[in-house]
Amino acid sequence: MSFLFDNFKGWKAYCEANNLKLYEPVMAYEIAQKGRTASDIWAGLLNAYTVMKEAVETGLTEDMTSRSGMINNGAKKVYQNKLSVLSPDFQKLIARALAAKEVNSCMGRVVAAPTAGASGILPGTMYTLQEIHGLDDQSILEGLLVGAGIALIIEQRASLAGAVGGCQAETGSAAAMASGAMVYCLGGDIDQVFNAVAITIQCMLGLVCDPVAGLVEVPCVVRNASAAAIANSSAQIALSNVSAVIPVDECIDAMGEIGSSMESRYKETALGGLAATLTGQDISKRVLIQDIEILPDEESFD
Amino acid sequence: MAEKSSVFDMIGPVMIGPSSSHTAGVVRIGRVARRLLGGQPEEAVITFYNSFARTYEGHGSDRAIISGLLDFKTDDKRIRTALDEAKSANMSYTFKSKGNASTMHPNTVKLNIKAGEKQIEVIGESRGGGLVNIAEVNGFAANFTASAHTLIIFAKDVKGSIAFIANVISHDEVNIGTMSVSRKGKNDQACLVIEMDSGLRPISLDYLRGLSWVNELIYIPDIDL
C-alpha cells in the first residue's frame, strides 16, 4: 500500500519508518495508483524538465508578444539589463521565470506545474539552481518528484485552481513545490524541506486571482517572477533552520480556509481587483470580442 | 472517492498555453469533431458561446479549435499558427460569437463542419484541465468525454438493438463505463454512445457496421493518440 499524500506529517513518518528519501514514496504512489513503471516515470519527468528548459530558452530568444499586446518581450529586457538590482544570478532567475510564463501567454509549449498559470516558476527556479550548483539532472528530477508530492497534498487539503482558491492556489502552490524541491536538491533534511514549503505558503497566502480581461497575462506573468523569488527566499530561510512556527499541514489548511472564504470576484472571474480597475476595464473593452449576438433569455439555440 | 491524481497532473501536462480549458480542451473538441466527420473538413463554421464568446481570440481558442480540426495534438507547436495552417490545408472557416445561452455550459463551442457531401454538427464543452464533454452530435444528446474508447452508432430504432450491440462488444471483454441512447422519435433514427475502458477489435467493428439497421458507426479509440 503506497502512501496517499493526504498530509506532510504522514509523509515524513512514512519516510522515517521505511528509511526512504522524500521522493521515493512519490514514485511508489505513481507506480501503485497509475500502473506506470519507474523507468516510464523517470522518462516522463525528464521530458517535462526538458520542456521547461526549452520554454525558458524560447522566452529569452523568440518574439513573445501576446495577442492582446499586454505581454511584450519583458523577459528579454530583464535578462539584458546591464543594471543588476541584487546579483546577475537573481536577475537571471527573474528573467527565466518571466520567460517560461511569457511562452505560456503567447501560445508556446509549457509544462503546467501545477497549472498553466504558474508554468514559469519551476522552470525559472530549477534551471537557475542547476546552473549555480552544477547539479545533475537526476537530482533535479528527484526534486520534481518531491514537488509533485507537495502538490498532491495541497490539492487534497486546499486547491490548485485559481477559480477555487485564488492565485495563492496556483502561484503559491508552484512556489511551495519549487522551494521544497530546491531545499531537497541542496541536501536539506525532511524538516527543512517541509519548513520551506510552510514559509513559502505563509508568504503567498491571500493572493487573489484577478486577471485583466480574464487573460492569463496581467498580473500572472510578473507573479511568476515574484513567486520564484519567494521560493528562493523561503529556501534560504529554511536551510538556515529558521522555523516557520506554524506546521506545514496547518499552513496548507489556512490556505484552504482563505480560498474558500474568498469572494468569487477574486477567483478568475475578472470581476474584481486589477481586472476591475479603470485601465483593466478599458483593456478588456479593447481586447475582448464585442461583436456578440446576444440570445433572448430562455433560449439557447438558434 | 474520486480518482487519484497523477504525478503528471502536478508536473504536467505538457501543453500549449495559455489555459488548459481554452486551448487544450478546445483542441480535443476539434479532434473529436474531425473523427465524427471522418476526415479533414473543407468548411467549418465555429460558434463560441457564453464565456468563450468574448475571450476566444485572447485565449487563442480560435486557433485551438482549428488545430483540433487539423488533427494537431494538444502540445503541438503549430497551434500558434493554426490559422495559416488551415489555409495550406484548404480548410475555410468562419467564427461566430453568441452570448446569454443560459442553458449551455459557460465554455461551449458548436461546430458545423463539412467535407464533400457529408456535414455534421457537434456541440462540445470544455470543462477545465483539458477535460471535455461532447454534449451533442447532429442534434442527438451524446455526452461523452472522449477520454476513454468511444463507440457511436446511428441506427434505426429497432427492438433489441441495444442488447444486440452490448452482446457483440462483450465478446471483446470490454467494460462499459457509460452508455447513452437518444432518438428522434419512435421507430425513427437513434443514436447510441458507449464509452469503454478498453478497445474493440476491428472484426467486431466491421460486423456491427455491416448490420442492416446500422446507418453509421464511428469508433474513437483515444482522442489524444
Side-chain angles (χ1 to χ4, degrees), chain A residues 183-207:
Chain A
V183 170
Y184 172 84
C185 287
L186 294 177
D189 63 24
I190 294 177
D191 284 332
Q192 288 173 324
V193 170
F194 290 180
N195 210 25
V197 174
I199 293 166
T200 304
I201 294 295
Q202 291 183 6
C203 296
M204 302 293 291
L205 279 183
L207 206 53

Side-chain angles (χ1 to χ4, degrees), chain A:
Chain A
M1 177 74 180
S2 62
F3 177 64
L4 292 178
F5 292 89
D6 33 19
N7 61 65
F8 285 90
K9 203 175 166 184
W11 189 2
K12 182 187 173 187
Y14 189 89
C15 286
E16 288 176 346
N18 298 288
N19 197 23
L20 298 172
K21 288 184 169 179
L22 265 179
Y23 79 86
E24 290 174 298
V26 190
M27 176 61 91
Y29 166 94
E30 187 69 8
I31 292 168
Q33 295 295 323
K34 299 292 156 186
R36 289 194 171 92
T37 63
S39 63
D40 282 351
I41 296 167
W42 289 121
L45 290 165
L46 183 60
N47 179 55
Y49 188 49
T50 305
V51 173
M52 286 182 188
K53 287 190 291 188
E54 278 174 8
V56 168
E57 297 298 340
T58 301
L60 290 175
T61 51
E62 292 179 18
D63 177 47
M64 287 297 134
T65 309
S66 66
R67 188 104 149 234
S68 75
M70 288 192 285
I71 300 308
N72 184 12
N73 295 300
K76 281 192 276 293
K77 290 178 196 156
V78 172
Y79 199 83
Q80 290 158 2
N81 192 343
K82 294 206 167 50
L83 178 62
S84 288
V85 173
L86 279 180
S87 69
D89 284 334
F90 182 76
Q91 188 179 353
K92 282 186 206 163
L93 167 76
I94 299 306
R96 286 168 181 154
L98 291 173
K101 179 62 192 67
E102 285 181 359
V103 167
N104 177 63
S105 293
C106 299
M107 296 198 79
R109 186 192 286 161
V110 294
V111 183
T115 60
S119 55
I121 296 160
L122 277 161
T125 50
M126 300 315 280
Y127 189 121
T128 307
L129 189 81
Q130 184 172 36
E131 184 180 77
I132 293 173
H133 294 274
L135 300 169
D136 58 22
D137 278 350
Q138 176 63 27
S139 166
I140 298 290
L141 302 189
E142 289 177 12
L144 290 178
L145 274 177
V146 171
I150 293 165
L152 285 168
I153 296 174
I154 298 175
E155 187 193 36
Q156 289 194 56
R157 293 181 79 100
S159 172
L160 299 171
V164 178
C167 190
Q168 57 169 4
E170 297 209 21
T171 60
S173 299
M177 293 163 74
S179 194
M182 289 166 69
V183 170
Y184 172 84
C185 287
L186 294 177
D189 63 24
I190 294 177
D191 284 332
Q192 288 173 324
V193 170
F194 290 180
N195 210 25
V197 174
I199 293 166
T200 304
I201 294 295
Q202 291 183 6
C203 296
M204 302 293 291
L205 279 183
L207 206 53
V208 301
C209 179
D210 52 353
V212 172
L215 304 177
V216 200
E217 301 185 12
V218 174
C220 321
V221 171
V222 292
R223 278 192 197 156
N224 272 251
S226 60
I230 286 175
N232 276 272
S233 65
S234 303
Q236 186 73 67
I237 295 167
L239 279 165
S240 313
N241 293 320
V242 179
S243 169
V245 181
I246 308 295
V248 60
D249 286 310
E250 295 176 42
C251 292
I252 305 293
D253 290 347
M255 186 168 126
E257 184 246 319
I258 292 167
S260 54
S261 57
M262 204 179 266
E263 291 186 33
S264 70
R265 66 178 189 273
Y266 301 128
K267 293 185 194 176
E268 216 179 292
T269 53
L271 295 172
L274 294 170
T277 59
L278 286 176
T279 304
Q281 289 177 334
D282 280 350
I283 291 171
S284 179
K285 282 196 195 98
R286 180 170 59 76
V287 304
L288 298 188
I289 292 155
Q290 304 300 323
D291 181 21
I292 296 177
E293 182 188 339
I294 299 296
L295 301 173
D297 285 347
E298 309 305 318
E299 194 184 315
S300 49
F301 301 104
D302 54 10

Side-chain angles (χ1 to χ4, degrees), chain A residues 29-30 33-34 36 63 67 104 106-110 112-114 116 151 155 214 289 292-295 300 302, chain B residues 3-7 10 12-18 54 56 59 62-63 75 80 97-100 103 110:
Chain A
Y29 166 94
E30 187 69 8
Q33 295 295 323
K34 299 292 156 186
R36 289 194 171 92
D63 177 47
R67 188 104 149 234
N104 177 63
C106 299
M107 296 198 79
R109 186 192 286 161
V110 294
E155 187 193 36
I289 292 155
I292 296 177
E293 182 188 339
I294 299 296
L295 301 173
S300 49
D302 54 10
Chain B
E3 175 96 348
K4 289 279 175 202
S5 293
S6 158
V7 160
M10 306 297 122
V14 174
M15 57 171 274
I16 298 298
R54 252 175 232 293
Y56 77 79
H59 276 131
D62 49 352
R63 289 177 272 185
D75 66 346
R80 194 176 176 183
S97 278
K98 292 192 181 185
N100 281 19
T103 58
K110 182 173 81 178

Side-chain angles (χ1 to χ4, degrees), chain B residues 153-168 188-192 207-217:
Chain B
I153 296 176
F154 294 98
K156 291 196 190 84
D157 178 32
V158 295
K159 281 182 187 144
S161 56
I162 295 168
F164 190 91
I165 292 165
N167 182 28
V168 171
D188 196 349
Q189 271 263 33
C191 171
L192 174 70
Y207 177 65
L208 290 170
R209 212 173 256 130
L211 294 167
S212 61
W213 41 272
V214 168
N215 297 327
E216 190 177 5
L217 179 147

Side-chain angles (χ1 to χ4, degrees), chain B residues 27-114:
Chain B
V27 171
R28 296 176 85 231
I29 291 170
R31 289 173 65 83
V32 174
R34 180 194 168 97
R35 279 160 183 72
L36 291 167
L37 183 69
Q40 171 75 48
E42 291 155 8
E43 278 178 57
V45 178
I46 297 141
T47 312
F48 288 106
Y49 289 89
N50 297 339
S51 163
F52 267 1
R54 252 175 232 293
T55 62
Y56 77 79
E57 274 186 5
H59 276 131
S61 310
D62 49 352
R63 289 177 272 185
I65 198 74
I66 295 293
S67 295
L69 293 175
L70 291 170
D71 213 20
F72 297 171
K73 293 180 185 175
T74 52
D75 66 346
D76 194 317
K77 285 184 172 174
R78 291 174 297 175
I79 291 173
R80 194 176 176 183
T81 53
L83 301 183
D84 297 329
E85 304 279 349
K87 285 197 189 92
S88 330
N90 289 319
M91 181 171 81
S92 67
Y93 54 81
T94 313
F95 293 110
K96 294 180 179 175
S97 278
K98 292 192 181 185
N100 281 19
S102 55
T103 58
M104 297 170 99
H105 185 272
N107 290 337
T108 297
V109 57
K110 182 173 81 178
L111 294 141
N112 292 87
I113 53 176
K114 202 156 114 175

